[in-house]
Amino acid sequence: MDFSIVEKNLKDRGYIVTIFETATEAVKYLDMHIDNQTVGFGGSVTLEQMKLFETLQSHNTVFWHQRIPEGKTSTEIRIAASQASIYISSVNGLAETGEIINIDGNYN
């Protein structure tokens, strides 16, 4: 895939685009740019592997149904995540045209 074409097409659709060579670079970038916010996470193996939750929770309030605090329910956490000021998820696919493909049964 030619990322310069994808980047251009995403920007043409109104997205702000930053491309990283590694997951570590992406985590550092997000850690620097997301501070003192409420953050919701969608279900994502990628986010789990990146350990982004652990990084962001040190200076944000992060809601993720894969990390349910004692005394809370999955439904409460999912609602809080959907109402957070920032919502992070991964997608199923990204077309060269800049279209984002996501199939999810839980309102993400």
Side-chain angles (χ1 to χ4, degrees):
M1 180 182 291
D2 184 343
F3 287 108
S4 64
I5 292 171
V6 175
E7 180 179 11
K8 178 197 175 303
N9 288 333
L10 283 167
K11 287 179 177 179
D12 287 349
R13 291 176 178 272
Y15 291 97
I16 298 168
V17 180
T18 307
I19 299 172
F20 304 97
E21 293 292 324
T22 67
T24 300
E25 290 175 12
V27 169
K28 286 180 184 178
Y29 175 88
L30 292 169
D31 191 35
M32 286 187 341
H33 287 86
I34 301 173
D35 188 40
N36 200 28
Q37 299 286 324
T38 56
V39 182
F41 275 29
S44 170
V45 173
T46 302
L47 296 178
E48 177 81 35
Q49 292 172 342
M50 291 172 68
K51 300 194 182 314
L52 186 58
F53 178 90
E54 291 80 3
T55 300
L56 293 180
Q57 77 171 358
S58 67
H59 54 100
N60 296 280
T61 303
V62 185
F63 301 102
W64 193 12
H65 67 278
Q66 294 180 1
R67 301 280 195 285
I68 302 171
E70 189 171 326
K72 297 288 183 180
T73 67
S74 176
T75 300
E76 290 171 320
I77 297 303
R78 287 177 193 267
I79 291 169
S82 72
Q83 296 172 346
S85 58
I86 296 170
Y87 191 85
I88 300 174
S89 68
S90 60
V91 298
N92 299 110
L94 177 60
E96 193 172 78
T97 59
E99 294 169 290
I100 298 172
I101 296 93
N102 193 43
I103 300 169
D104 188 313
N106 291 315
Y107 64 79
N108 293 333

